[in-house]
Amino acid sequence: MSQEIDWAQYASDGFYDELVAAPGEPRAVARTLLADIGALGAEELAARQEAADVSIKEMGISFTVYSEEGGAIDRAWPFDVVPRVIPQREWQRVEAGLKQRVQALNLFINDLYHDQKILADGVLPREVLAKSINFREQCMGVDPPLGIWAHVCGSDLVRDADGTIYVLEDNLRVPSGVSYMLENRLVTKRVLPELFEHYAPLPVDDYPSQLFDTLAALSPRPADYPEVAVLSPGIYNSAYFEHSYLAQQMGAELVEGRDLFVDDDDCCYMRTIDGPARVDVIYRRVDDLFLDPEAFLPDSTLGVPGLMRAWKAGNVALANAPGAGVADDKVVYAFVPEIIRYYLDQDPIIPNVPTYRCMEPDALKYVLEHLHELVVKPANESGGYGMLVGPASTAAEREAFAEAIKKDPRNYIAQPTLKLSTVPTVVKKGIEPRHVDLRPFILSADRQQVTTGGLTRVALRKGSLVVNSSQGGGSKDTWVVSEDLPSEPLASSRDAAERLSQTQD
């Protein structure tokens, strides 16, 4: 039997740790979890990690990374077995904040494609919209079902050293990662089933049915059982595993652009062996510009000619709606607190990370003088690419960024370097803290729903703050649990089980 893990030797070096308040002092909500994991010992925990890696390969959970040479590499999904735990009371506040945020963003998007009152009232500078690469003139005046544009949103949350949770960014175009959230729970149950003897994390496996209900609510034929399709760019897309997984779990059709066509009646049909079958709702995982060669890029082979016509006619629903990406802009992100106050007359429940808008002269001056200590991000890059992490940058990199910022200030924001929270993570030599963020998913149609927890992404490289899987990051299972757990000193797994049984008698 391997020696128990000594949590007194675990130190997060000044960062907020999600499970350990101080060396040897677990957070109340994680006390029993750390007792159970500690009792396993480092060797056994490493064996469970290896079992998880094997399980992921057997289950075919993968993602695609594109190399600089232009090739696509299919990799097993990187996963760490130690779960992240969030108290249910704290999560209720986060859930309310996410619903508030997405409600305001949908009102904002709808306003931009109609009266643009927020511009007329001077809350959002016209320059922001004028230089938005995701604003679609083709969507002006369109009224999508229920007035909702972003039906699926993935907002990235981070926690700073003082415990404050911030929204880092909003993903409203084609947010990905939810399938890995679902699979992470399955893998954890498979390789560490004993943890669930003492914990009952809120379920996540109802997401596919919630997603289907969200999509079905958009159907132009509400009296009939809707035909829902997941539109994928195909097998070479980095998120193809997720496309196929969600289609299977929802009982929806997985299609590519060539499987669909728009007929003279401006309705969308799917080619089947029994002849054309009308499609009511398309959960599209194809970017706007490739969606319809008649409306956008004429040489796109990924989309469906005439699809925008069918959508504008109200004969097919698209989720997310074309043009929703106008709010998926890091400069727009910097205005979200004002957007919430403007449309809802409420203060934001979850704050933004303090952000410098380089388009503002005072902010630009400050950013250029403090590049060495800031994180600078371009407006529309994703996946952790294209940004400058000041403390880890070279003088040459800062000089190049300074020139780029001065050339186009509207395209950049800057933020302080946050001390991202950590979670214990399995490494070769035992267990060490690694930095994490969290991506919950918010569904919006006739009602709003938020995943319980979300996808916790972890920077597996020591000292790294980059959690993106394409750059060496991985993920963890995320538990939202009740705080009504034992609060005695940290003990062995057997002692923890005895304590829990006493509280239940």
Side-chain angles (χ1 to χ4, degrees):
M1 182 176 180
S2 62
Q3 186 176 0
E4 286 194 14
I5 294 171
D6 183 4
W7 292 107
Q9 302 301 312
Y10 178 89
S12 58
D13 299 326
F15 296 96
Y16 184 104
D17 193 272
E18 300 286 342
L19 304 186
V20 183
E25 298 180 22
R27 300 197 183 278
V29 75
R31 188 173 300 276
T32 306
L33 174 67
L34 293 187
D36 288 353
I37 290 175
L40 285 174
E43 290 183 15
E44 179 61 23
L45 190 61
R48 303 295 182 93
Q49 179 65 58
E50 186 175 341
D53 296 340
V54 171
S55 180
I56 284 170
K57 290 179 181 177
E58 290 177 346
M59 295 167 72
I61 308 173
S62 64
F63 72 105
T64 304
V65 175
Y66 297 99
S67 67
E68 293 182 358
E69 292 75 25
I73 305 170
D74 208 35
R75 291 181 178 171
W77 179 248
F79 171 73
D80 183 80
V81 295
V82 180
R84 175 196 194 148
V85 181
I86 302 172
Q88 186 174 359
R89 190 176 296 111
E90 179 180 47
W91 184 250
Q92 289 170 345
R93 176 180 169 277
V94 170
E95 181 178 352
L98 292 171
K99 288 181 176 179
Q100 175 199 55
R101 192 174 183 94
V102 174
Q103 180 185 3
L105 287 172
N106 269 306
L107 292 169
F108 168 70
I109 298 168
N110 198 58
D111 184 19
L112 290 186
Y113 288 115
H114 289 85
D115 298 331
Q116 300 187 347
K117 292 179 181 179
I118 196 169
L119 303 183
D121 290 340
V123 177
L124 184 80
R126 292 186 180 275
E127 179 188 0
V128 175
L129 184 63
K131 294 188 176 181
S132 171
I133 67 170
N134 292 308
F135 180 75
R136 309 294 178 214
E137 290 285 352
Q138 299 90 333
C139 298
M140 286 296 295
V142 177
D143 294 307
L146 306 174
I148 302 296
W149 294 75
H151 310 91
V152 184
C153 175
S155 291
D156 293 342
L157 308 179
V158 294
R159 196 196 297 270
D160 202 4
D162 63 358
T164 302
I165 292 178
Y166 295 99
V167 177
L168 184 65
E169 65 179 52
D170 303 292
N171 300 280
L172 298 102
R173 283 176 288 182
V174 281
S176 64
V178 75
S179 61
Y180 303 115
M181 175 194 79
L182 300 172
E183 293 285 24
N184 287 351
R185 179 63 53 84
L186 296 177
V187 174
T188 305
K189 286 182 175 180
R190 177 179 291 191
V191 302
L192 284 169
E194 59 267 53
L195 299 184
F196 294 86
E197 295 175 11
H198 306 150
Y199 281 86
L202 295 181
V204 295
D205 56 1
D206 52 353
Y207 179 83
S209 61
Q210 292 175 344
L211 176 60
F212 182 85
D213 290 345
T214 296
L215 299 174
L218 309 176
S219 175
R221 298 187 295 172
D224 299 326
Y225 188 81
E227 184 68 68
V228 177
V230 178
L231 176 61
S232 170
I235 61 172
Y236 297 108
N237 184 266
S238 61
Y240 183 74
F241 168 82
E242 177 158 299
H243 306 165
S244 59
Y245 179 89
L246 290 176
Q248 181 189 44
Q249 294 295 310
M250 288 193 295
E253 300 291 342
L254 178 64
V255 299
E256 297 179 25
R258 59 190 175 185
D259 300 318
L260 304 176
F261 69 95
V262 174
D263 215 340
D264 293 338
D265 59 358
D266 286 345
C267 291
C268 184
Y269 295 89
M270 177 172 50
R271 294 182 172 90
T272 76
I273 58 174
D274 296 319
R278 184 172 169 183
V279 176
D280 299 300
V281 185
I282 297 175
Y283 178 35
R284 55 105 178 185
R285 301 299 295 260
V286 174
D287 287 338
D288 286 356
L289 295 180
F290 300 95
L291 198 56
D292 179 354
E294 288 185 7
F296 300 114
L297 294 178
D299 57 348
S300 171
T301 59
L302 301 178
V304 184
L307 189 57
M308 286 292 289
R309 263 192 295 115
W311 176 61
K312 289 181 178 181
N315 294 329
V316 67
L318 300 177
N320 284 352
V326 68
D328 192 338
D329 178 309
K330 292 177 178 62
V331 177
V332 170
Y333 157 89
F335 286 90
V336 170
E338 289 98 318
I339 290 171
I340 292 172
R341 294 186 185 98
Y342 181 77
Y343 291 106
L344 302 180
D345 195 22
Q346 300 170 2
D347 288 328
I349 296 172
I350 310 175
N352 270 18
V353 175
T355 302
Y356 299 95
R357 307 161 181 163
C358 294
M359 61 186 290
E360 299 172 355
D362 289 346
L364 175 62
K365 182 175 184 295
Y366 180 87
V367 169
L368 293 175
E369 292 173 353
H370 295 81
L371 280 177
H372 61 286
E373 59 190 45
L374 298 172
V375 175
V376 183
K377 303 176 180 178
N380 293 287
E381 292 286 348
S382 60
Y385 292 103
M387 66 182 186
L388 176 80
V389 180
S393 65
T394 65
E397 289 171 336
R398 292 193 294 274
E399 184 177 346
F401 251 81
E403 290 302 316
I405 294 169
K406 287 186 282 188
K407 185 177 179 180
D408 187 7
R410 185 269 180 233
N411 193 47
Y412 291 92
I413 62 166
Q415 298 168 332
T417 306
L418 297 182
K419 301 181 73 173
L420 298 190
S421 64
T422 59
V423 177
T425 301
V426 178
V427 298
K428 289 184 179 179
K429 296 181 180 180
I431 196 161
E432 293 180 356
R434 292 291 186 267
H435 297 289
V436 295
D437 77 353
L438 177 65
R439 178 176 291 182
F441 295 86
I442 307 96
L443 299 176
S444 302
D446 53 342
R447 62 185 183 275
Q448 287 183 301
Q449 299 175 88
V450 181
T451 54
T452 48
L455 177 67
T456 288
R457 301 185 299 177
V458 54
L460 295 174
R461 296 170 183 161
K462 188 172 184 177
S464 174
L465 298 175
V466 181
V467 299
N468 307 84
S469 57
S470 58
Q471 298 196 58
S475 70
K476 289 172 170 286
D477 193 9
T478 308
W479 294 5
V480 175
V481 301
S482 170
E483 293 94 322
D484 298 329
L485 292 167
S487 57
E488 288 80 5
L490 194 58
S492 68
S493 177
R494 182 176 298 173
D495 292 338
E498 290 175 355
R499 291 200 315 272
L500 190 58
S501 65
Q502 290 170 2
T503 64
Q504 293 172 336
D505 289 341

